[in-house]
Amino acid sequence: MRTTTTIFLLSAAAALITACSGDDGASATDSATTGTLDPTTTGASTTATTTAGSASATDATTSAGTDSNSASDSAATTTAGSESDSATTTDGVTEGTATTSSTTGTTAAPDPVCGDGLVEGDEECDDANADDSDECLSTCKAATCGDGLVQAGVEECDDGNTFDKDFCSNACAKVPCEQQEGMDQQAVLSYIWIANSSQNTVSKVNTKTGVEEGRYRVAGGSPSRTSVNLLGDVAVSSRDPGAVTKIAAKVESCVDKNNDGQIFTSTGPNDIKNLGEDECVLWTKTIASPGYANGPRATAWEGVKPDPDTCQYPPQRLWFGWKDAQNQAHFMRVDGETGATLDEVIHPWGTSYSPYGGAVDADGNFYASGLSNMPTVKINAQTLQVTDLGIGPGCKYGMTLDAKGDIWVGSCGNNAVYHWDHLTNIWSNIGAAGGSRVNGIMADAYGNVWGAGSNPCRLVHIDAETRTYVNNNIPVPGCNSPWGVSIDAEGYVWLVDMSASRAFKIDPDTYELVTTVTGLVGPYTYSDMTGTALALQVIPQ
C-alpha cells in the first residue's frame, strides 16, 4: 500500500512538471519546492522531512542528469520516535523502502536522596531514619562530638561549641559544676567576711586583692561568727541583741527593693548604709536570746550540692545556736532564702556561754561545740537526733572539721589543740601548741590544720594525718592578738587580729606575709569566714 501511494505521487509530480515547463518556479503548501526542469530530464527526486511531530515536505527537487533518472520520494527522517519513509525509482521501476530510526539522549543520574538507606553522592552515611541520637544523623552526616546533638551511649552531652569550661567539655563529657567557668571556688568564694564587733558591721574583703569592697550594717549588736555558703553569701550572727543577717556576695543576687533599676549597696569601708537601706542585705532575723552570753554564736550553712545537669543549687539552709534563760540550747535551722524557721532542736546545755563553734559535714549534719567544759554535739540532718560527743579533755574554743570529718578544737589557756576522731569517738590532746592559747582553728584541703595563736602572737601549723605540729610558732609581723583563722579559695591562710584591727594573708608554703588589711574595727571572727571549710566537706578535692 505504501509503495502504490508513492507511485501515484510520482506520476502526478511528473505531469505537473511537464505542464509547468518554462516557469521560473512553483511553491506549494507543506514546504513543497519545484525547481526548473530541463526538457531532457527523465527523472525526479522528491524529499519529505518530518521532525518531532511536525510535517515539512519538500517535493520535486530535481537535478538534471544525462545518464540516469532517479526519484526519491518521501525520504523521511524521524528523531526521538518519528518515522522516516523513502521511495526510490530507477528506470521507471519504483522500489519502496521504509526506514525507522530512534535516537535516545544521555540521561543524568538522579540526585542522592538522604534517608533512602543508600549511601550516595556526598553522603557520609544513610541509615534510613530521622533519629539524630544514633551514629548517622538525619542529614546523612556521621555523628561527631561538637555537632550539637547527643549520640546515645557515646556522648554525655554535646553543646556544639569549642569552649571547654562550660557544662559540656570538648570531649562531650559533662563538666562538674564546681569546675565550670564562673562556678569554681576561686570565682565564687573570693571574699573573706570579717565581723567588726564594736561597729556592728561586717567587712567584705576581696581575698585576691586585699581590697575591702563593702561594709554592711547588721541586725542586733556585737556581731561575731560569719558563715559563707557555696554561693558566696554570708550569714552573720550577732550576740547581743541576738540576731542573724544574710548578705549577698554578688550584685546580681541583691534585690532592687525600690525598683529604680539600680542596686543601692555599700562600695567600701566608708560607705555604710543604714540597716534596711542596703539592697544586698537580704534578710534579718531577731533572736529571743536573753543577753550577751546567750546570743547566737555557732553558725554554719548546710552544704548542698548543685544539680549536676543544671548546676542550680537547691534552697540553702542555715544552722545556728543560742541559749535561753533556762540554759537550754536552741539549734535552729532556717530557710536560707527567707530566714523563716524550719526546725528547732532544744538540748540541755549548761551555765556557760551559748554553743560556741559550729560546722556542717558532707551529709548536712550540724556539729556544735561549747566553750570550755560545755558539751560537743552532733545533730542528724534527717532525723534531728542529737548525739552527745563528750566534753573533751580541756578548755575548748574555736572548732573546725577536717576532710575526714574529724573535729579540731583550739584551747583557751592550756597550750593545747584537741582532736576528736569520728571513727572511734575518742578525744585526744596533741599538746605543746607553742603558747597559752589557740583561738580560732581551720582545716584546709591539703591535710593541714591552722590555728590562730596568742600569748604569744603566732600562726600554728599542724599535720592532720599524723596529728603533729609542722610549726607551732610562725611569726606574723604586725600582729598583736589574732583571734580567728580562715583559708581562702587559693589556699592562703588568713589571720584576723582583734587587737591590731587587721587581717593578714599568709603564704602556707613559705609563711611569708602577702597582704595586710587595715581599717577594721574590733574584728572578732573565728569561723568559716570564706566558705572553703564548707566546700571541703561538700566538694571533692
Side-chain angles (χ1 to χ4, degrees):
M1 183 67 178
R2 188 181 296 277
T3 302
T4 302
T5 302
T6 303
I7 294 171
F8 173 79
L9 289 173
L10 287 172
S11 298
L16 178 62
I17 293 169
T18 302
C20 297
S21 178
D23 289 349
D24 291 330
S27 63
T29 59
D30 298 331
S31 301
T33 303
T34 304
T36 303
L37 300 180
D38 188 280
T40 61
T41 301
T42 58
S45 175
T46 303
T47 303
T49 303
T50 303
T51 304
S54 63
S56 175
T58 303
D59 297 329
T61 302
T62 305
S63 299
T66 57
D67 295 325
S68 62
N69 298 325
S70 66
S72 178
D73 297 329
S74 303
T77 301
T78 304
T79 303
S82 300
E83 289 187 349
S84 174
D85 298 332
S86 64
T88 303
T89 302
T90 305
D91 294 332
V93 180
T94 302
E95 297 178 358
T97 61
T99 303
T100 301
S101 64
S102 178
T103 303
T104 303
T106 302
T107 303
D111 292 336
V113 177
C114 180
D116 62 4
L118 301 174
V119 179
E120 303 168 308
D122 62 353
E123 295 178 344
E124 296 177 3
C125 58
D126 194 326
D127 57 5
N129 67 51
D131 185 0
D132 278 331
S133 66
D134 58 12
E135 62 185 5
C136 185
L137 304 181
S138 59
T139 57
C140 289
K141 299 295 183 183
T144 59
C145 178
D147 58 17
L149 300 168
V150 178
Q151 187 178 354
V154 177
E155 300 172 339
E156 293 182 341
C157 58
D158 195 324
D159 56 8
N161 66 45
T162 58
F163 185 54
D164 205 33
K165 298 285 284 185
D166 55 7
F167 81 96
C168 189
S169 74
N170 291 343
C172 288
K174 291 181 179 178
V175 178
C177 298
E178 63 273 9
Q179 296 177 20
Q180 295 180 24
E181 182 85 1
M183 293 196 68
D184 59 287
Q185 290 186 41
Q186 292 191 26
V188 178
L189 305 179
S190 56
Y191 294 98
I192 183 170
W193 297 80
I194 303 171
N196 299 295
S197 292
S198 57
Q199 193 185 43
N200 288 343
T201 65
V202 63
S203 292
K204 172 187 173 184
V205 178
N206 188 311
T207 55
K208 295 180 180 180
T209 65
V211 175
E212 183 175 348
E213 296 183 4
R215 188 172 294 195
Y216 308 87
R217 187 79 59 191
V218 298
S222 190
S224 173
R225 313 309 195 264
T226 65
S227 179
V228 179
N229 64 25
L230 296 182
L231 297 175
D233 303 329
V234 68
V236 185
S237 289
S238 299
R239 293 168 290 185
D240 188 32
V244 179
T245 303
K246 180 187 177 183
I247 305 170
K250 298 178 292 186
V251 173
E252 51 265 36
S253 299
C254 304
V255 179
D256 182 9
K257 299 176 183 177
N258 59 4
N259 297 315
D260 64 353
Q262 301 180 17
I263 295 299
F264 185 71
T265 188
S266 174
T267 58
N270 299 316
D271 182 24
I272 305 171
K273 312 300 184 186
N274 293 327
L275 186 63
E277 291 182 352
D278 196 304
E279 293 177 326
C280 287
V281 176
L282 301 181
W283 54 257
T284 62
K285 187 178 183 69
T286 300
I287 307 300
S289 50
Y292 176 83
N294 297 342
R297 286 176 170 80
T299 305
W301 287 94
E302 280 186 345
V304 185
K305 294 182 179 180
D307 182 281
D309 294 319
T310 66
C311 288
Q312 296 297 310
Y313 280 89
Q316 307 285 296
R317 299 187 296 188
L318 175 71
W319 282 102
F320 58 86
W322 58 280
K323 189 165 70 83
D324 64 24
Q326 287 72 45
N327 295 319
Q328 299 285 318
H330 292 247
F331 298 102
M332 300 179 70
R333 184 163 59 179
V334 303
D335 186 321
E337 296 298 312
T338 65
T341 301
L342 301 174
D343 305 291
E344 185 170 5
V345 178
I346 301 176
H347 186 74
W349 202 247
T351 58
S352 184
Y353 288 90
S354 58
Y356 223 66
V360 172
D361 67 13
D363 297 320
N365 304 313
F366 182 54
Y367 295 76
S369 64
L371 177 67
S372 190
N373 60 353
M374 292 294 100
T376 299
V377 298
K378 172 186 175 182
I379 302 175
N380 186 284
Q382 303 301 321
T383 66
L384 301 182
Q385 178 182 352
V386 179
T387 301
D388 194 324
L389 304 180
I391 294 175
C395 182
K396 303 184 304 298
Y397 210 70
M399 65 92 68
T400 191
L401 290 175
D402 66 19
K404 296 186 297 184
D406 289 0
I407 298 174
W408 293 82
V409 184
S411 68
C412 45
N414 293 357
N415 187 26
V417 170
Y418 308 115
H419 172 265
W420 173 81
D421 190 309
H422 78 286
L423 296 177
T424 64
N425 195 31
I426 294 176
W427 285 92
S428 60
N429 179 359
I430 67 172
S436 65
R437 298 181 64 98
V438 176
N439 302 305
I441 196 166
M442 196 64 59
D444 68 17
Y446 308 103
N448 304 299
V449 176
W450 303 88
S454 61
N455 297 328
C457 169
R458 68 202 187 283
L459 177 65
V460 176
H461 183 187
I462 303 168
D463 183 295
E465 184 64 30
T466 63
R467 303 175 194 174
T468 59
Y469 294 100
V470 178
N471 193 329
N472 64 2
N473 194 3
I474 303 167
V476 181
C479 81
N480 189 331
S481 184
W483 225 250
V485 64
S486 195
I487 313 299
D488 69 21
E490 296 179 298
Y492 288 95
V493 181
W494 286 76
L495 277 181
V496 176
D497 195 311
M498 177 177 61
S499 299
S501 288
R502 295 178 178 179
F504 306 98
K505 178 180 178 179
I506 301 166
D507 188 307
D509 298 319
T510 65
Y511 303 149
E512 178 184 0
L513 180 60
V514 177
T515 302
T516 300
V517 178
T518 61
L520 304 173
V521 183
Y524 186 82
T525 303
Y526 44 103
S527 51
D528 186 13
M529 297 175 265
T530 61
T532 58
L534 178 61
L536 178 63
Q537 298 299 314
V538 178
I539 301 174
Q541 303 297 312

